[in-house]
Amino acid sequence: YGGVPLILDAPDLATQADLPHTPREEVVAQIVKDLDSAALVLPLKYSKGDVGRATKGAALALKARVLLYEASPLFNSSNDPVKWQTAADAAKAVMDLSGTGYGLYNDYRGLFLPQNENNKEVIFDVQYIFPGLGTSFDLIGKQYNTNAPVLDLAQAYTMKNGLPITDPASGYDPAKPYANRDPRLYGTIFFPGDTLMEVPVTTSRFAVTGFGMKKYTIYDKGPAPTGQTDLKSGQSETNFIVLRYADILLMYAEALNEASGPSPEVYNALNKVRQRVDLPDIDPIIIPYTQAELRAIIHHERRIELAGEGLYYNDIRRWKTAETVLNAPIKTYDGSQIEVRTFDPTRDYFWPIPLTETDLNPALEQNPGY
């Protein structure tokens, strides 16, 4: 939303109900201060009964994300390298934490299955357990299809050799469009010709775009887990990962590349994420990438690695590429157009202040364009 009223005292309706916006920079500075304070007192780990509570690593990882956003073009129009270095340092602080055991889980698909929850890659997640509190991810992914992937995402995955499908040397076969692709495709999306619970996925299996979201569901090629054939709303238990180590590595690579250009540290962080799924390294000896070329690679890597995890929308906002990405048609598996997205760059990088809030507090100024 941009700036919001910053309230640091105990709630008091009489004095706080009509406060105006505090400049956004002041709000962010307070957030960073709070996270630093929290990191000083939070433990590295919890005993088994308290697993899932915020840790020192969670506070520092959230700080890294906040600072990464602050360094990005939406808020750093002058591309001040100091802001980028500050973000890189924040991510590195998580990487350098000793005693946490953070690292990349060895199985990309398995990372998002309930039997592997709270593994070494998870820095902070939302702990779900049925019947106490569940989600509907399984039902949505298998049946409702309201989070349907689009053709543009499916085509964004490279071939297993690391080349985009548009490269004549990639080996891409339009007759077998999902053969020999980046393994993360198979851990994220159901596609026509795939298999879901031992049944072939037809072009009509997922009604919205022909694609289904596999990540964060318990379903895959094999039979349905015992007792889960008729899952209902609110019964899914897989924890939702808010912050994970792969994201930290990509934050570090992005921020350091923006601060000072390509370096061994940037390549190392980026390639660790790719090596998990056996993709070839991004090698500066084979191709001496410029800062801009490496930026594009890192942006692509974030989109693929973190697909379906609720981050891409805010990434394209902070990169200020939403005006290109979101002014484009939505297509199904066969290229049929469903509708055309629209995004107004003079308005839509920030959300409107809800009418209910401006009614309650006339001192809140509406964001431009609304």
Side-chain angles (χ1 to χ4, degrees):
Y1 296 102
V4 296
L6 179 60
I7 299 172
L8 302 178
D9 300 318
D12 180 7
L13 191 62
T15 60
Q16 298 169 353
D18 58 355
L19 291 175
H21 292 289
T22 302
R24 192 192 57 79
E25 293 78 7
E26 293 181 30
V27 178
V28 172
Q30 184 63 46
I31 291 170
V32 172
K33 180 180 178 182
D34 289 346
L35 291 170
D36 281 336
S37 297
L40 291 175
V41 296
L42 286 169
L44 286 172
K45 293 182 177 180
Y46 285 96
S47 60
K48 187 174 181 180
D50 282 328
V51 169
R53 296 182 182 276
T55 60
K56 182 186 296 290
L60 293 177
L62 183 55
K63 175 186 173 182
R65 181 175 288 170
V66 170
L67 291 174
L68 185 80
Y69 281 35
E70 283 301 289
S72 298
L74 184 60
F75 302 124
N76 183 19
S77 58
S78 64
N79 200 32
D80 180 359
V82 174
K83 288 189 174 183
W84 283 111
Q85 186 62 54
T86 301
D89 292 343
K92 189 65 162 58
V94 180
M95 296 161 63
D96 289 344
L97 273 180
S98 60
T100 63
Y102 292 149
L104 295 176
Y105 187 67
N106 62 356
D107 178 2
Y108 182 80
R109 170 66 180 133
L111 174 62
F112 303 98
L113 292 175
Q115 59 265 35
N116 302 317
E117 289 173 340
N118 305 306
N119 60 70
K120 66 180 182 178
E121 186 162 344
V122 177
I123 298 174
F124 186 74
D125 61 356
V126 181
Q127 302 277 317
Y128 288 108
I129 185 168
F130 181 79
L133 179 64
T135 74
S136 301
F137 280 135
D138 293 313
L139 184 63
I140 290 169
K142 183 180 75 170
Q143 180 174 326
Y144 291 168
N145 198 214
T146 49
N147 60 348
V150 298
L151 180 63
D152 186 64
L153 174 61
Q155 291 180 332
Y157 289 85
T158 69
M159 299 297 288
K160 187 70 170 64
N161 57 20
L163 296 176
I165 65 173
T166 53
D167 190 322
S170 69
Y172 175 72
D173 181 357
K176 299 177 181 178
Y178 303 109
N180 301 314
R181 302 288 290 278
D182 181 332
R184 289 172 293 189
L185 170 68
Y186 311 125
T188 305
I189 294 175
F190 288 113
F191 50 85
D194 199 5
T195 302
L196 167 57
M197 292 188 292
E198 303 181 307
V199 177
V201 176
T202 65
T203 57
S204 59
R205 172 61 179 82
F206 293 103
V208 179
T209 62
F211 299 108
M213 182 58 72
K214 179 185 293 188
K215 186 184 285 189
Y216 278 119
T217 76
I218 57 176
Y219 304 112
D220 214 306
K221 294 182 182 299
T226 304
Q228 301 292 331
T229 56
D230 187 30
L231 198 65
K232 294 178 173 61
S233 180
Q235 295 185 5
S236 303
E237 295 191 272
T238 305
N239 293 350
F240 184 81
I241 304 172
V242 179
L243 293 157
R244 61 184 178 97
Y245 193 69
D247 189 9
I248 291 295
L249 291 174
L250 293 175
M251 290 187 205
Y252 179 67
E254 178 182 347
L256 193 59
N257 181 58
E258 297 295 344
S260 53
S263 69
E265 292 79 10
V266 173
Y267 286 105
N268 185 50
L270 176 62
N271 285 329
K272 280 183 179 179
V273 177
R274 295 171 60 85
Q275 287 162 3
R276 168 171 41 194
V277 290
D278 295 324
L279 284 181
D281 285 353
I282 304 299
D283 192 337
I285 296 177
I286 296 175
I287 302 176
Y289 293 100
T290 66
Q291 182 187 52
E293 289 169 337
L294 196 54
R295 176 188 301 130
I297 291 171
I298 294 168
H299 286 191
H300 174 269
E301 197 67 25
R302 282 191 65 84
R303 183 185 189 187
I304 297 304
E305 173 69 23
L306 304 169
E309 298 179 45
L311 294 173
Y312 184 60
Y313 172 70
N314 283 329
D315 275 346
I316 61 176
R317 288 174 68 214
R318 69 183 180 85
W319 294 331
K320 294 204 74 177
T321 59
E323 58 204 73
T324 300
V325 174
L326 295 183
N327 279 318
I330 300 173
K331 296 181 179 179
T332 67
Y333 75 97
D334 63 357
S336 300
Q337 182 174 306
I338 300 176
E339 60 182 87
V340 178
R341 290 189 177 111
T342 59
F343 184 92
D344 181 354
T346 66
R347 184 194 70 180
D348 294 343
Y349 280 109
F350 292 94
W351 291 352
I353 307 300
L355 180 62
T356 52
E357 300 303 320
T358 56
D359 283 347
L360 288 169
N361 180 4
L364 289 178
E365 293 184 20
Q366 184 55 271
N367 281 328
Y370 292 103

